[in-house]
Protein backbone atom coordinates (compact mmCIF):
# COMPACT_ATOMS: atom_id res chain seq x y z
CA UNK A 1 0.00 0.00 0.00
CA UNK A 2 1.06 3.65 -0.29
CA UNK A 3 1.27 3.86 3.52
CA UNK A 4 3.71 0.95 3.78
CA UNK A 5 3.53 -2.74 4.63
CA UNK A 6 0.02 -3.82 5.63
CA UNK A 7 0.90 -7.41 6.61
CA UNK A 8 -2.09 -8.71 4.63
CA UNK A 9 -1.19 -8.45 0.92
CA UNK A 10 0.49 -11.20 -1.09
CA UNK A 11 3.88 -9.49 -0.93
CA UNK A 12 3.79 -9.29 2.88
CA UNK A 13 2.54 -12.86 3.18
CA UNK A 14 5.36 -14.16 0.95
CA UNK A 15 7.95 -12.21 2.96
CA UNK A 16 6.59 -13.53 6.27
CA UNK A 17 6.82 -17.08 4.91
CA UNK A 18 10.42 -16.44 3.91
CA UNK A 19 9.90 -17.22 0.22
CA UNK A 20 9.40 -13.82 -1.40
CA UNK A 21 10.72 -13.77 -4.95
CA UNK A 22 11.37 -10.04 -4.59
CA UNK A 23 13.74 -10.30 -1.61
CA UNK A 24 17.28 -11.70 -1.80
CA UNK A 25 19.24 -12.28 1.42
CA UNK A 26 23.01 -12.41 0.87
CA UNK A 27 25.17 -13.74 3.71
CA UNK A 28 28.81 -14.84 4.07
CA UNK A 29 29.32 -18.29 2.57
CA UNK A 30 31.64 -21.24 3.07
CA UNK A 31 34.38 -21.86 5.60
CA UNK A 32 36.05 -18.53 4.89
CA UNK A 33 32.83 -16.60 5.66
CA UNK A 34 33.35 -14.38 2.61
CA UNK A 35 30.62 -12.83 0.46
CA UNK A 36 31.13 -13.53 -3.22
CA UNK A 37 28.89 -11.73 -5.72
CA UNK A 38 28.86 -12.69 -9.39
CA UNK A 39 30.76 -10.39 -11.73
CA UNK A 40 30.06 -9.41 -15.34
CA UNK A 41 32.00 -11.00 -18.18
CA UNK A 42 31.31 -9.53 -21.63
CA UNK A 43 27.85 -8.47 -20.61
CA UNK A 44 26.86 -11.87 -19.23
CA UNK A 45 27.05 -13.24 -15.73
CA UNK A 46 29.15 -16.20 -14.74
CA UNK A 47 27.10 -19.26 -13.83
CA UNK A 48 27.70 -22.85 -12.80
CA UNK A 49 25.61 -25.92 -13.41
CA UNK A 50 26.12 -27.23 -9.89
CA UNK A 51 26.36 -24.25 -7.52
CA UNK A 52 28.27 -24.68 -4.27
CA UNK A 53 28.07 -22.85 -0.95
CA UNK A 54 30.98 -20.60 -1.85
CA UNK A 55 29.87 -19.84 -5.44
CA UNK A 56 29.24 -16.17 -6.30
CA UNK A 57 25.76 -15.04 -5.26
CA UNK A 58 23.40 -14.00 -8.11
CA UNK A 59 22.82 -10.34 -7.28
CA UNK A 60 23.02 -9.17 -10.89
CA UNK A 61 20.69 -11.91 -12.12
CA UNK A 62 18.25 -11.11 -9.32
CA UNK A 63 17.95 -7.46 -10.39
CA UNK A 64 17.76 -8.25 -14.10
CA UNK A 65 14.00 -8.93 -13.96
CA UNK A 66 11.30 -6.67 -12.46
CA UNK A 67 9.52 -7.53 -9.19
CA UNK A 68 6.59 -9.95 -9.24
CA UNK A 69 4.58 -8.89 -6.19
CA UNK A 70 6.18 -5.75 -4.77
CA UNK A 71 7.03 -2.30 -6.07
CA UNK A 72 10.75 -3.03 -5.69
CA UNK A 73 13.21 -5.87 -5.56
CA UNK A 74 15.29 -5.73 -2.39
CA UNK A 75 18.68 -7.32 -1.82
CA UNK A 76 19.82 -7.46 1.82
CA UNK A 77 23.57 -7.95 2.25
CA UNK A 78 24.29 -9.15 5.79
CA UNK A 79 27.80 -8.54 7.20
CA UNK A 80 28.58 -6.43 4.15
CA UNK A 81 32.16 -5.94 5.36
CA UNK A 82 32.79 -9.60 4.46
CA UNK A 83 32.67 -8.88 0.70
CA UNK A 84 35.87 -9.67 -1.16
CA UNK A 85 37.36 -7.32 -3.75
CA UNK A 86 35.53 -8.84 -6.71
CA UNK A 87 32.21 -8.67 -4.86
CA UNK A 88 32.75 -5.04 -3.93
CA UNK A 89 33.46 -4.17 -7.57
CA UNK A 90 30.38 -6.05 -8.75
CA UNK A 91 28.28 -4.24 -6.18
CA UNK A 92 29.79 -0.90 -7.17
CA UNK A 93 28.70 -1.52 -10.77
CA UNK A 94 25.14 -2.10 -9.58
CA UNK A 95 25.23 1.05 -7.44
CA UNK A 96 26.53 3.16 -10.32
CA UNK A 97 23.85 1.98 -12.77
CA UNK A 98 20.90 0.89 -10.59
CA UNK A 99 17.72 -0.54 -12.00
CA UNK A 100 14.68 1.63 -11.20
CA UNK A 101 13.12 -1.27 -9.28
CA UNK A 102 16.27 -2.15 -7.30
CA UNK A 103 16.84 -1.45 -3.61
CA UNK A 104 19.98 -2.50 -1.71
CA UNK A 105 20.30 -2.75 2.07
CA UNK A 106 23.84 -3.25 3.42
CA UNK A 107 24.13 -4.27 7.07
CA UNK A 108 27.44 -4.09 8.91
CA UNK A 109 28.89 -3.50 12.35
CA UNK A 110 32.31 -2.69 10.84
CA UNK A 111 31.60 0.23 8.54
CA UNK A 112 35.29 1.10 8.35
CA UNK A 113 35.85 -2.05 6.26
CA UNK A 114 33.40 -0.93 3.55
CA UNK A 115 35.05 0.66 0.50
CA UNK A 116 34.73 4.48 0.47
CA UNK A 117 33.51 4.27 -3.13
CA UNK A 118 30.58 2.15 -1.96
CA UNK A 119 29.84 4.30 1.09
CA UNK A 120 29.75 7.43 -1.06
CA UNK A 121 26.87 5.93 -3.06
CA UNK A 122 24.84 4.85 -0.03
CA UNK A 123 22.76 6.57 2.61
CA UNK A 124 24.35 5.66 5.95
CA UNK A 125 21.98 5.10 8.85
CA UNK A 126 23.56 4.57 12.26
CA UNK A 127 21.41 2.40 14.53
CA UNK A 128 21.76 3.29 18.18
CA UNK A 129 22.44 0.33 20.43
CA UNK A 130 19.87 -0.28 23.19
CA UNK A 131 20.71 0.65 26.75
CA UNK A 132 22.05 -2.00 29.11
CA UNK A 133 18.74 -1.87 30.98
CA UNK A 134 16.86 -2.67 27.77
CA UNK A 135 19.26 -5.53 27.03
CA UNK A 136 18.81 -7.00 30.49
CA UNK A 137 15.05 -6.77 30.04
CA UNK A 138 15.22 -8.49 26.65
CA UNK A 139 17.81 -11.06 27.77
CA UNK A 140 17.15 -11.59 31.50
CA UNK A 141 19.55 -14.54 31.74
CA UNK A 142 22.49 -12.69 30.16
CA UNK A 143 25.48 -12.13 32.46
CA UNK A 144 27.38 -8.80 32.61
CA UNK A 145 30.35 -10.50 30.94
CA UNK A 146 28.18 -11.74 28.06
CA UNK A 147 26.82 -8.22 27.55
CA UNK A 148 30.41 -6.98 27.51
CA UNK A 149 31.41 -9.50 24.85
CA UNK A 150 28.38 -8.42 22.77
CA UNK A 151 29.28 -4.72 23.10
CA UNK A 152 25.61 -4.03 23.77
CA UNK A 153 24.43 -5.33 20.37
CA UNK A 154 21.32 -7.57 20.61
CA UNK A 155 22.30 -9.70 17.61
CA UNK A 156 25.77 -10.35 18.99
CA UNK A 157 24.33 -11.04 22.43
CA UNK A 158 22.07 -13.73 20.97
CA UNK A 159 25.13 -15.36 19.42
CA UNK A 160 27.13 -15.11 22.65
CA UNK A 161 24.31 -16.70 24.66
CA UNK A 162 23.91 -19.49 22.10
CA UNK A 163 27.65 -20.21 22.57
CA UNK A 164 27.66 -19.59 26.32
CA UNK A 165 30.02 -22.43 27.18
CA UNK A 166 32.59 -21.20 24.65
CA UNK A 167 32.51 -17.61 25.86
CA UNK A 168 32.69 -18.77 29.46
CA UNK A 169 35.81 -20.74 28.59
CA UNK A 170 37.24 -17.68 26.86
CA UNK A 171 36.45 -15.54 29.92
CA UNK A 172 38.32 -17.96 32.20
CA UNK A 173 41.24 -17.94 29.77
CA UNK A 174 41.36 -14.13 29.70
CA UNK A 175 41.39 -13.91 33.49
CA UNK A 176 44.05 -16.61 33.76
CA UNK A 177 46.21 -14.97 31.09
CA UNK A 178 46.28 -11.67 33.00
CA UNK A 179 48.40 -13.22 35.75
CA UNK A 180 50.74 -15.29 33.56
CA UNK A 181 54.34 -14.56 32.59
CA UNK A 182 56.37 -15.17 29.42
CA UNK A 183 57.30 -18.81 30.29
CA UNK A 184 53.59 -19.68 30.17
CA UNK A 185 53.29 -18.63 26.52
CA UNK A 186 53.24 -22.19 25.14
CA UNK A 187 50.54 -23.30 27.57
CA UNK A 188 48.51 -20.16 26.77
CA UNK A 189 48.84 -20.86 23.05
CA UNK A 190 47.56 -24.40 23.45
CA UNK A 191 44.62 -23.26 25.56
CA UNK A 192 43.68 -20.55 23.08
CA UNK A 193 43.90 -23.03 20.20
CA UNK A 194 41.44 -25.26 22.04
CA UNK A 195 39.04 -22.32 22.32
CA UNK A 196 39.45 -21.53 18.60
CA UNK A 197 38.60 -25.13 17.73
CA UNK A 198 35.40 -24.73 19.75
CA UNK A 199 34.47 -21.58 17.81
CA UNK A 200 35.25 -23.36 14.56
CA UNK A 201 32.90 -26.23 15.42
CA UNK A 202 30.13 -23.96 16.72
CA UNK A 203 30.05 -21.71 13.66
CA UNK A 204 31.01 -24.33 11.06
CA UNK A 205 33.64 -21.85 9.90
CA UNK A 206 37.22 -22.08 8.75
CA UNK A 207 40.24 -21.76 11.02
CA UNK A 208 40.86 -18.15 10.00
CA UNK A 209 37.28 -17.05 10.75
CA UNK A 210 37.31 -18.90 14.09
CA UNK A 211 40.64 -17.30 15.10
CA UNK A 212 39.28 -13.88 14.16
CA UNK A 213 36.11 -14.34 16.21
CA UNK A 214 38.01 -15.52 19.29
CA UNK A 215 40.56 -12.70 19.03
CA UNK A 216 37.80 -10.15 18.55
CA UNK A 217 36.07 -11.31 21.74
CA UNK A 218 39.36 -11.34 23.67
CA UNK A 219 40.17 -7.76 22.59
CA UNK A 220 36.68 -6.60 23.61
CA UNK A 221 37.15 -8.10 27.08
CA UNK A 222 40.59 -6.59 27.67
CA UNK A 223 39.62 -3.17 26.29
CA UNK A 224 37.11 -2.87 29.13
CA UNK A 225 39.21 -4.48 31.86
CA UNK A 226 40.82 -1.82 34.12
CA UNK A 227 43.63 -4.12 35.26
CA UNK A 228 44.68 -5.00 31.71
CA UNK A 229 47.90 -3.46 30.35
CA UNK A 230 46.90 -0.81 27.74
CA UNK A 231 49.07 -2.43 25.06
CA UNK A 232 47.25 -5.79 25.15
CA UNK A 233 44.07 -4.86 23.24
CA UNK A 234 46.14 -3.15 20.54
CA UNK A 235 48.38 -6.21 20.14
CA UNK A 236 45.34 -8.47 19.85
CA UNK A 237 43.74 -6.11 17.33
CA UNK A 238 46.94 -6.22 15.26
CA UNK A 239 46.87 -10.03 15.29
CA UNK A 240 43.21 -9.90 14.25
CA UNK A 241 44.04 -7.51 11.40
CA UNK A 242 46.77 -9.81 10.10
CA UNK A 243 44.47 -12.84 10.17
CA UNK A 244 41.65 -11.04 8.37
CA UNK A 245 44.04 -9.58 5.82
CA UNK A 246 45.71 -12.93 5.09
Amino acid sequence: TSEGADDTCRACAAYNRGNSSDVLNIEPQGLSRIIKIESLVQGETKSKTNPKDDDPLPLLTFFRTPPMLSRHKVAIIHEAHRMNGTSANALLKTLEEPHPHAKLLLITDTIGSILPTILSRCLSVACEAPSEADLVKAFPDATPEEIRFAEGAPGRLSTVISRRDLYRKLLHFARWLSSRSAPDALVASEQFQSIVEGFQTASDAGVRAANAEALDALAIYYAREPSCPPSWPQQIIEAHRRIIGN
Side-chain angles (χ1 to χ4, degrees):
T1 65
S2 58
E3 294 79 14
D6 58 12
D7 208 27
T8 61
C9 67
R10 293 175 60 197
C12 289
Y15 179 80
N16 289 335
R17 291 194 304 269
N19 61 356
S20 174
S21 59
D22 297 329
V23 177
L24 175 66
N25 283 288
I26 295 178
E27 299 181 356
Q29 301 289 310
L31 295 178
S32 61
R33 302 295 294 163
I34 294 295
I35 294 177
K36 297 181 180 180
I37 299 174
E38 62 185 2
S39 57
L40 290 173
V41 178
Q42 296 181 348
E44 296 295 332
T45 56
K46 293 180 179 180
S47 62
K48 294 186 179 182
T49 305
N50 299 312
K52 300 178 181 179
D53 287 343
D54 59 352
D55 281 344
L57 295 160
L59 177 65
L60 304 181
T61 301
F62 173 71
F63 281 139
R64 185 173 291 174
T65 57
M68 295 183 64
L69 300 175
S70 311
R71 285 177 295 172
H72 301 97
K73 274 193 165 183
V74 181
I76 306 172
I77 304 179
H78 303 266
E79 298 184 57
H81 54 278
R82 301 296 298 164
M83 289 185 292
N84 61 12
T86 302
S87 298
N89 290 331
L91 179 63
L92 188 59
K93 179 70 174 179
T94 302
L95 292 174
E96 289 174 341
E97 301 175 5
H99 295 279
H101 57 262
K103 297 291 182 181
L104 278 155
L105 179 61
L106 280 65
I107 302 174
T108 180
D109 57 9
T110 314
I111 196 169
S113 297
I114 305 294
L115 288 179
T117 48
I118 291 179
L119 288 178
S120 66
R121 290 164 173 79
C122 297
L123 174 64
S124 298
V125 179
C127 298
E128 184 178 353
S131 66
E132 186 168 337
D134 290 334
L135 278 177
V136 171
K137 185 177 180 180
F139 301 90
D141 63 333
T143 66
E145 290 80 10
E146 289 170 342
I147 293 176
R148 178 194 292 193
F149 279 129
E151 294 188 296
R156 285 191 180 185
L157 185 54
S158 295
T159 300
V160 170
I161 291 175
S162 68
R163 301 174 184 174
R164 175 165 282 161
D165 291 342
L166 274 176
Y167 278 90
R168 190 170 295 160
K169 187 176 181 180
L170 183 64
L171 175 63
H172 291 161
F173 171 78
R175 289 172 173 171
W176 171 85
L177 189 63
S178 300
S179 60
R180 298 299 95 186
S181 57
D184 298 312
L186 182 57
V187 175
S189 176
E190 292 175 349
Q191 290 188 10
F192 186 74
Q193 184 58 39
S194 174
I195 294 172
V196 169
E197 290 173 356
F199 276 102
Q200 185 179 1
T201 301
S203 59
D204 192 25
V207 175
R208 185 172 67 175
N211 268 288
E213 182 178 358
L215 283 171
D216 182 55
L218 193 61
I220 289 170
Y221 174 82
Y222 281 135
R224 290 158 178 78
E225 183 59 33
S227 62
C228 172
S231 62
W232 282 27
Q234 189 56 46
Q235 291 172 359
I236 297 171
I237 290 170
E238 178 62 19
H240 181 279
R241 185 191 65 79
R242 291 181 179 181
I243 289 174
I244 292 297
N246 185 357

